[in-house]
Amino acid sequence: MSGWIKKTLVVALSAIAVGCATSPTGRNQVLLFPSDQLAQMGQQAFTDMKQKQNVSRQPVKNEYVECIADAITPYVPESVYDGKWEVVVFDEDQVNAFALPGGKIGVYTGLMKVAQTQDQLAAVIGHEIGHVIAQHGNERMSQGALVNIGTQAVGQILAANEVPQTGPIMAAIGLGVQVGVQLPYSRAHESEADLIGLQLMAQAGFNPRESVDLWRNMEAASGGQRPPEIMSTHPAPQSRIQSLQKNMPEAVSVYEKTSNRPDCR
């Protein structure tokens, strides 16, 4: 690829690297969408999911998950959401959970086989709420909008100058954006949510040390069937464990100072 094409690509995508906001861990962010719009979208998506997926009718599981969530959500800044969070358990085998803007939390029963204690499940719920606190959904949407603008601009310049091999060049740009921009952003989001979740669970009185056990369980449950970290939207479990351990002393200090000790068994 010639120098002027590279320069054009850099100019077209440079806005991605310019932050107009700052995340809870100090990262620069581009946030183009109003928070109330994201909240409306989250609430609508949650309503749709409840209609299309199997909602658990088992009181014990629902009360267990809601107990953990209720212990954590008071520590979410009111600027993020100041109401009662809605918690739903989906009766599906997925090893997954999520939180959405607008005060929504979903947990799949498959996750409860891997998150074996209340502290481990608290690590997951704290992590998912961390995505909402850090406005990762807004950041990803904003990033996608800017990438589309940038790549369309490059394509128009290539076509206007009758550059040969335009198709392959644009395909290479697409892959470069995915590997060089979108996937690292995803991994950064996951790592950031881990650290926010670590603090939330400690504040709520859940043992933060069990977050490490959770990711060991996750790695075991995956059976080693993971893509290389550079091609994955999530950091490798060992990378997550190392990051959590690095930040563990502060979280343990918070945990030991709080008198909270939830009993959600």
Side-chain angles (χ1 to χ4, degrees):
M1 187 182 297
S2 69
W4 70 267
I5 296 177
K6 291 181 180 179
K7 184 176 180 180
T8 301
L9 179 58
V10 170
V11 171
L13 301 182
S14 60
I16 298 174
V18 178
C20 58
T22 304
S23 79
T25 63
R27 276 190 316 104
N28 286 334
Q29 294 178 294
V30 176
L31 304 176
L32 303 181
F33 300 92
S35 57
D36 58 347
Q37 180 182 355
L38 270 292
Q40 291 175 4
M41 293 171 64
Q43 291 165 355
Q44 183 58 55
F46 201 65
T47 298
D48 291 344
M49 292 183 71
K50 288 189 293 183
Q51 293 173 350
K52 296 176 181 177
Q53 298 193 29
N54 296 322
V55 175
S56 174
R57 304 300 178 190
Q58 300 181 46
V60 173
K61 288 185 177 179
N62 284 277
E63 291 169 6
Y64 172 65
V65 174
E66 189 162 1
C67 175
I68 295 170
D70 285 349
I72 293 173
T73 52
Y75 298 93
V76 177
E78 290 187 358
S79 58
V80 175
Y81 187 72
D82 61 357
K84 166 73 173 174
W85 286 69
E86 181 181 2
V87 182
V88 172
V89 177
F90 293 96
D91 194 7
E92 305 279 354
D93 289 335
Q94 295 184 49
V95 181
N96 206 358
F98 63 88
L100 298 173
K104 309 298 180 183
I105 296 171
V107 174
Y108 292 91
T109 53
L111 173 65
M112 299 167 73
K113 300 174 184 177
V114 179
Q116 297 174 353
T117 68
Q118 64 169 11
D119 301 277
Q120 292 177 18
L121 187 54
V124 178
I125 292 176
H127 167 96
E128 297 303 333
I129 293 174
H131 282 305
V132 178
I133 292 174
Q135 302 189 74
H136 290 158
N138 193 335
E139 190 174 2
R140 291 296 302 278
M141 288 173 58
S142 302
Q143 171 202 347
L146 291 172
V147 167
N148 287 337
I149 292 170
T151 52
Q152 287 173 10
V154 174
Q156 291 172 357
I157 292 171
L158 292 174
N161 288 273
E162 299 182 351
V163 177
Q165 302 293 318
T166 297
I169 289 173
M170 289 304 296
I173 289 171
L175 179 61
V177 167
Q178 181 185 25
V179 176
V181 178
Q182 293 173 333
L183 293 184
Y185 256 113
S186 297
R187 294 195 294 272
H189 290 172
E190 292 300 316
S191 298
E192 190 167 59
D194 280 348
L195 300 186
I196 297 172
L198 190 68
Q199 286 295 313
L200 284 175
M201 70 180 296
Q203 288 176 296
F206 295 102
N207 187 348
R209 300 179 186 90
E210 292 222 27
S211 62
V212 173
D213 294 329
L214 166 73
W215 286 107
R216 287 174 177 151
N217 292 350
M218 288 285 195
E219 186 170 25
S222 73
Q225 301 300 311
R226 292 181 53 82
E229 183 167 350
I230 192 173
M231 295 297 293
S232 174
T233 59
H234 289 57
Q238 192 56 45
S239 297
R240 304 182 90 138
I241 289 171
Q242 290 173 356
S243 177
L244 289 167
Q245 289 174 328
K246 179 180 178 181
N247 291 273
M248 192 62 66
E250 181 182 352
V252 169
S253 177
V254 171
Y255 169 68
E256 291 178 344
K257 289 176 182 177
T258 183
S259 60
N260 302 329
R261 289 296 181 269
D263 186 6
C264 299
R265 296 172 180 81

